[in-house]
Amino acid sequence: MTTTTISNDVPKEKKDTVMNKILGVVSGGFAPILGVLAGAGLISALLAILVTLGWLSDKSGTYAILSAAGHAIFYFFPVFLGITLAAKLGANGFVGGAIGAALLEPHYTGLVASKAQNVDFLGIPVILANYSSTVFPILIAVSIYSILDKLLKRVIYKDLQMFVNPLISLIIIVPLTVLVFGPFGTYVGGALAVVIKFLSSKSGMLTGAVMGAAWSFLTILGLHWAIIPIFIANLATGGDPLSPMIAAAPFAQIGMGFGVLLKTRDKDLKTLAGSGLVPGALAGTTEIITYGILVRYKRTMVIVALAGAIGGAINGALGVKGTAFALPSFLSIPVFVPIGFYLIGTLTSLVIALVLTLIVGYEGKSDIELAKTVKEFGLANVKRETILSPLSGEIIPLSEISDPLFSTEMVGKGIAIEPTKGEVISPVNGTITTLFPTEHAIGITSEDGAEILICIGVDTINLKGQFFTSQVKQWDTVAKGDLLIQFEMDKIKAKGFDVKTPVVITNTNQYLDVVPAKGGKVQANDELIKLLV
């Protein structure tokens, strides 16, 4: 008996840990996008107000341009999520973005728009689908890509990886996404649509409970697109009973978000909740609450599901119908009839979620463990660290570097130095992971996980190694202060090249912040950058 108990407990513990890590990756993938989601959502809310007040026509050019600003992040969500998820999983974020972009590229979307028949890939039939705003396909695709990327890094010669790895990854992952990952969601969504039609023919209350409880999570997976056509078809026959049922879900999220705003003492979380309430309440855009709170705290999932089920059941039982297609919000209330019954269902959902959040809280023991796991999983290879200066000279901001790769922090955050001596020393104890053939740039990975790139001068790659002499080889182990590269500064300047040297942390995304330790003049071996975890 004892043996059985132990053997049953161990797999469960592992399963929980794996689930926490999965949720940690998903949450970490959405985290960098939350700010722009908040801003875009507020634009949608503002437009809704202006149109409702009659101050702006939804047919005007002004509306079209502002609407593009507000909706772009949502339409191209697979691109942005592809970038952040790939980076979170340690793969190339731009390849992840390219995978998402392939699903929205005009050659493919043209096939979808024209309802092309008998489309195939190397003889394999393709199920066409619209992947704008979806999450599920790109989530699977990038997860598989990250595994493939790790494999390619082991087998492809390092000097070829820059273009060979993306080439192979795109050729393999994009077709797989179109053939397998995307259609999988389409099939699941189609099956859900059949189930919902069956339930709605049996009981409005039961259907409302199921729809209200499940809608938030179907939206996260991108499966809701398979059900929306049912709403539209119902409208053509005199009214849709399903949209009032699902309306309980976003109102439950609004109530939960308001509860978190009132309860939390975390300033960042309070700001996030507050910024999510306005677009949610006025425009029905709840992505900020969904991806900023719901996917991070398990307890909120239970609260939203329960509140959504009760509100949905009420609207289903009372026979509320939608008269036009609109995102559920306070501004779209007149779309639903009878309005009084609709308000009973949706406001009940909102109040229950609010009260439950205030009473039981949004964060349980499992959420605390998840937070720990997210930190361990996302930052497993990095620690708080101080990077020493590899050069003597004058500190300048990266924004003054003429190369946009550095000035826009595309490569990573850091600092630049105008050198006064032609020597680069190791700023950390670590390993030389990259040494350019031209010896003008070098990459070091510290013992604590920081990935540091030092690039001597701007466009000095064009010198083809002239005036640069490396004292180390790739994969050498180095200590702080070891001489890495000597360069003839005066001769480089005489050739017309700028010697300002960026020192950047290429795995910036794994740190809470990258902060310059000082300004002004610096000597080699002085503290230069602090990495916060």
Side-chain angles (χ1 to χ4, degrees):
M1 189 72 166
T2 305
T3 306
T4 303
T5 304
I6 293 173
S7 64
N8 287 340
D9 286 344
V10 173
K12 182 178 180 181
E13 183 179 344
K14 289 183 178 178
K15 191 178 293 183
D16 288 342
T17 301
V18 170
M19 179 56 67
N20 280 344
K21 288 187 176 182
I22 291 173
L23 290 175
V25 170
V26 174
S27 178
F30 281 107
I33 318 174
L34 291 178
V36 67
L37 282 176
L42 290 171
I43 291 175
S44 297
L46 175 63
L47 286 175
I49 295 171
L50 294 176
V51 170
T52 301
L53 294 175
W55 294 352
L56 182 67
S57 169
D58 59 4
K59 306 297 182 184
S60 68
T62 301
Y63 179 90
I65 293 170
L66 291 177
S67 181
H71 290 124
I73 179 67
F74 301 107
Y75 182 85
F76 294 103
F77 209 61
V79 179
F80 294 96
L81 194 57
I83 293 172
T84 57
L85 276 174
K88 181 69 178 176
L89 292 168
N92 187 322
F94 295 106
V95 174
I99 293 170
L103 303 177
L104 305 172
E105 198 275 336
H107 284 92
Y108 177 78
T109 57
L111 293 174
V112 177
S114 65
K115 298 181 179 179
Q117 302 294 318
N118 302 318
V119 178
D120 69 89
F121 176 79
L122 299 179
I124 305 172
V126 174
I127 299 174
L128 298 174
N130 181 3
Y131 295 114
S132 66
S133 306
T134 58
V135 173
F136 191 63
I138 195 66
L139 185 64
I140 299 178
V142 172
S143 298
I144 300 299
Y145 156 61
S146 69
I147 297 172
L148 175 63
D149 185 62
K150 288 180 175 65
L151 175 63
L152 293 175
K153 285 178 178 176
R154 293 177 184 172
V155 300
I156 303 296
Y157 182 62
K158 192 168 185 67
D159 289 346
L160 300 178
Q161 287 183 11
M162 184 178 71
F163 61 91
V164 172
N165 288 18
L167 169 67
I168 296 174
S169 297
L170 291 172
I171 285 178
I172 293 176
I173 299 298
V174 171
L176 276 177
T177 304
V178 174
L179 292 170
V180 181
F181 310 145
F184 175 76
T186 302
Y187 282 129
V188 173
L192 285 172
V194 172
V195 171
I196 289 167
K197 281 185 177 180
F198 173 77
L199 290 176
S200 62
S201 67
K202 301 297 181 182
S203 168
M205 179 181 290
L206 176 61
T207 307
V210 172
M211 293 288 285
W215 188 254
S216 296
F217 309 99
L218 296 178
T219 303
I220 291 172
L221 296 175
L223 299 177
H224 61 303
W225 293 110
I227 302 171
I228 287 177
I230 302 176
F231 300 170
I232 298 172
N234 288 340
L235 290 173
T237 59
D240 171 45
L242 296 179
S243 54
M245 299 175 189
I246 69 98
F251 274 89
Q253 289 193 44
I254 292 169
M256 179 270 290
F258 190 34
V260 170
L261 175 68
L262 296 176
K263 193 172 184 67
T264 185
R265 295 181 180 179
D266 185 317
K267 291 182 180 179
D268 291 336
L269 184 57
K270 190 180 287 290
T271 300
L272 181 67
S275 65
L277 288 175
V278 177
L282 298 181
T285 307
T286 59
E287 281 84 355
I288 303 163
I289 298 173
T290 301
Y291 300 123
I293 301 175
L294 192 65
V295 300
R296 292 170 61 187
Y297 301 104
K298 295 177 183 176
R299 186 171 289 182
T300 63
M301 296 181 184
V302 178
I303 292 172
V304 167
L306 179 60
I310 294 172
I314 292 172
N315 280 343
L318 295 178
V320 181
K321 290 187 176 182
T323 60
F325 183 75
L327 294 177
S329 69
F330 284 101
L331 293 182
S332 66
I333 287 174
V335 167
F336 300 93
V337 293
I339 289 180
F341 287 171
Y342 175 72
L343 287 175
I344 292 173
T346 51
L347 293 183
T348 297
S349 182
L350 186 153
V351 171
I352 289 175
L354 169 61
V355 172
L356 285 177
T357 304
L358 292 175
I359 293 175
V360 303
Y362 59 90
E363 185 178 42
K365 289 182 179 179
S366 58
D367 296 309
I368 295 171
E369 290 301 316
L370 173 58
K372 291 179 180 177
T373 304
V374 169
K375 185 172 182 179
E376 291 171 1
F377 186 71
L379 308 176
N381 297 319
V382 300
K383 299 177 183 177
R384 184 186 296 266
E385 187 174 0
T386 299
I387 308 300
L388 304 182
S389 178
L391 295 148
S392 295
E394 184 80 20
I395 293 177
I396 58 174
L398 282 179
S399 58
E400 293 187 15
I401 301 296
S402 58
D403 187 338
L405 284 174
F406 294 104
S407 62
T408 62
E409 297 185 342
M410 188 179 298
V411 179
K413 290 184 178 181
I415 202 72
I417 298 173
E418 177 89 53
T420 55
K421 186 177 181 181
E423 289 184 351
V424 177
I425 65 169
S426 179
V428 293
N429 298 327
T431 303
I432 305 300
T433 47
T434 304
L435 179 62
F436 283 65
T438 52
E439 300 184 348
H440 77 290
I442 190 168
I444 312 161
T445 300
S446 75
E447 292 177 345
D448 290 329
E451 297 173 8
I452 307 146
L453 175 65
I454 305 166
C455 184
I456 306 166
V458 179
D459 294 331
T460 49
I461 189 174
N462 295 318
L463 290 171
K464 299 180 180 179
Q466 190 179 13
F467 311 131
F468 296 95
T469 305
S470 173
Q471 303 299 320
V472 293
K473 302 186 298 298
Q474 190 171 358
W475 307 120
D476 279 356
T477 300
V478 294
K480 294 176 182 177
D482 285 354
L483 181 61
L484 303 181
I485 296 175
Q486 292 175 307
F487 58 99
E488 299 178 73
M489 189 166 51
D490 293 338
K491 292 182 179 179
I492 294 172
K493 288 182 177 179
K495 288 284 188 178
F497 290 90
D498 188 348
V499 294
K500 293 186 182 73
T501 300
V503 181
V504 299
I505 310 302
T506 57
N507 59 337
T508 292
N509 63 299
Q510 296 191 43
Y511 294 92
L512 183 63
D513 205 354
V514 176
V515 182
K518 62 180 298 184
K521 296 186 181 298
V522 67
Q523 295 296 318
N525 266 328
D526 287 353
E527 290 188 357
L528 182 68
I529 297 171
K530 291 185 181 294
L531 306 181
L532 307 181
V533 175

